[in-house]
């Protein structure tokens, strides 16, 4: 995911995770190589969530946790 984050995106992720008090685990590899190479994604409660940009992914995560 790091390669998809720029400065503004990283800041927004930090703020979100601090404000919402969400537990996040970051792994080096989740064995989704094709997806990982193509776009940012997250696994939320076992569901793969993907987006074209890091900010779009953050918005999808926000919708899912609220």
């Amino acid at each position: 995911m790091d390669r998809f984050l720029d400065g503004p995106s990283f800041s927004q992720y930090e703020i979100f995770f601090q404000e919402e008090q969400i537990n996040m685990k970051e792994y080096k590899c989740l064995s989704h190589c094709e997806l990982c190479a193509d776009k940012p994604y997250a696994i939320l409660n076992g569901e793969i969530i993907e987006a074209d940009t890091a900010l779009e992914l953050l918005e999808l995560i926000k919708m899912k946790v609220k």
Side-chain angles (χ1 to χ4, degrees), residues 6-61:
D6 55 14
S9 300
F10 183 78
S11 297
Q12 289 189 28
Y13 272 82
E14 272 190 324
I15 291 167
F16 173 70
F17 286 118
Q18 288 173 0
E19 287 178 354
E20 297 296 325
Q21 298 181 356
I22 293 175
N23 293 325
M24 179 186 81
K25 292 182 183 177
E26 190 171 0
Y27 298 93
K28 288 185 179 193
C29 182
L30 294 172
S31 299
H32 295 284
C33 301
E34 289 180 19
L35 180 59
C36 186
D38 188 39
K39 58 180 67 176
Y41 78 98
I43 298 177
L44 181 65
N45 297 327
E47 177 186 355
I48 295 176
I49 302 168
E50 58 185 271
D52 291 327
T53 68
L55 289 177
E56 288 176 12
L57 179 61
L58 180 58
E59 291 305 314
L60 290 172
I61 292 170

